[in-house]
Amino acid sequence: MGTTIAPDSTANTPLTVADAGRMIEGLLGPGGVTASGTPTPPTAAPDDTEEVVEIPGTTTDEPEGQEPTGEEEPEAPQLVTVKVDGKDVQVPIDEALQGYSRTQDYTRKTQALAEDRRKVEAAEQAARTTLEQYATRLREVEAALAPAEPDWEKLRDEAPDELPAQLAQWQITQKRLRQITKERETAEAELTR
């Protein structure tokens, strides 16, 4: 406080207890000192109003002994009840919504994957059916192309002029038959995988 109070007499005069009391009363403001020497609070006149000064960032609702932090306490999250492994559990609503969103995404992706799997399985079944039909046709061609081998000695004795042509035709047929047999065996091996 910028005010100094000096006793009525000169600065070298020692203070009396009464003078010191008056000086203290002057420092305390209107009010007084009790007989025990403790200051009494000033009494306000009925028309006086108390002025309240608010400092930004502080609240007057703080309990005594705690200093204001300048931060508002976060609100408690709203809870919802969900079933987890057959038990009711309280979780914050935002977590429940995120879980629901993840579940929906998982369900959608799982359904899309299942649909893709059905398409692949249908395509595999169609390919298998086609391959089975192909192997069956190749067996039929093999049976048709596998006539009994001509009696080459009899043909040489009876029609020696036809022997080279018959032999060449037989070799061509046998070559085709080997190709068809190999193709049929490949198709049947695919069916057993």
Side-chain angles (χ1 to χ4, degrees):
M1 301 192 183
T3 311
T4 56
I5 302 176
D8 291 341
S9 60
T10 64
N12 291 334
T13 309
L15 288 175
T16 63
V17 174
D19 289 336
R22 280 191 298 277
M23 288 175 52
I24 291 174
E25 283 179 12
L27 290 173
L28 293 177
V33 178
T34 63
S36 65
T38 59
T40 59
T43 55
D47 58 335
D48 288 349
T49 57
E50 184 176 313
E51 182 179 335
V52 177
V53 178
E54 291 188 27
I55 300 171
T58 62
T59 59
T60 57
D61 298 337
E62 295 289 330
E64 286 188 30
Q66 288 186 350
E67 294 184 25
T69 60
E71 299 174 7
E72 293 185 23
E73 291 185 26
E75 293 184 22
Q78 188 177 9
L79 299 176
V80 293
T81 303
V82 295
K83 282 213 183 273
V84 176
D85 294 331
K87 297 178 182 176
D88 288 341
V89 177
Q90 293 281 325
V91 296
I93 194 164
D94 59 337
E95 184 178 323
L97 291 173
Q98 288 173 355
Y100 177 79
S101 182
R102 282 190 297 266
T103 300
Q104 290 302 312
D105 185 53
Y106 174 77
T107 301
R108 182 181 49 78
K109 288 179 180 177
T110 303
Q111 289 172 346
L113 182 62
E115 181 61 29
D116 290 346
R117 185 173 289 139
R118 281 190 290 273
K119 288 177 183 177
V120 168
E121 288 172 355
E124 285 177 349
Q125 184 58 40
R128 183 173 188 76
T129 301
T130 301
L131 195 57
E132 287 172 350
Q133 291 171 350
Y134 182 60
T136 302
R137 298 271 190 254
L138 289 173
R139 272 189 237 107
E140 292 170 0
V141 170
E142 275 182 302
L145 288 177
E149 186 174 353
D151 185 358
W152 299 111
E153 289 182 27
K154 183 178 177 186
L155 189 58
R156 183 175 36 147
D157 293 338
E158 294 175 3
D161 298 341
E162 294 180 22
L163 183 62
Q166 288 279 340
L167 185 58
Q169 185 61 40
W170 174 256
Q171 289 173 342
I172 291 171
T173 303
Q174 290 302 308
K175 184 178 180 182
R176 286 183 184 160
L177 188 58
R178 282 191 299 273
Q179 289 173 339
I180 291 169
T181 301
K182 184 177 179 183
E183 187 69 22
R184 178 190 51 81
E185 288 172 350
T186 302
E188 288 174 346
E190 282 292 319
L191 287 171
T192 59
R193 292 206 295 172

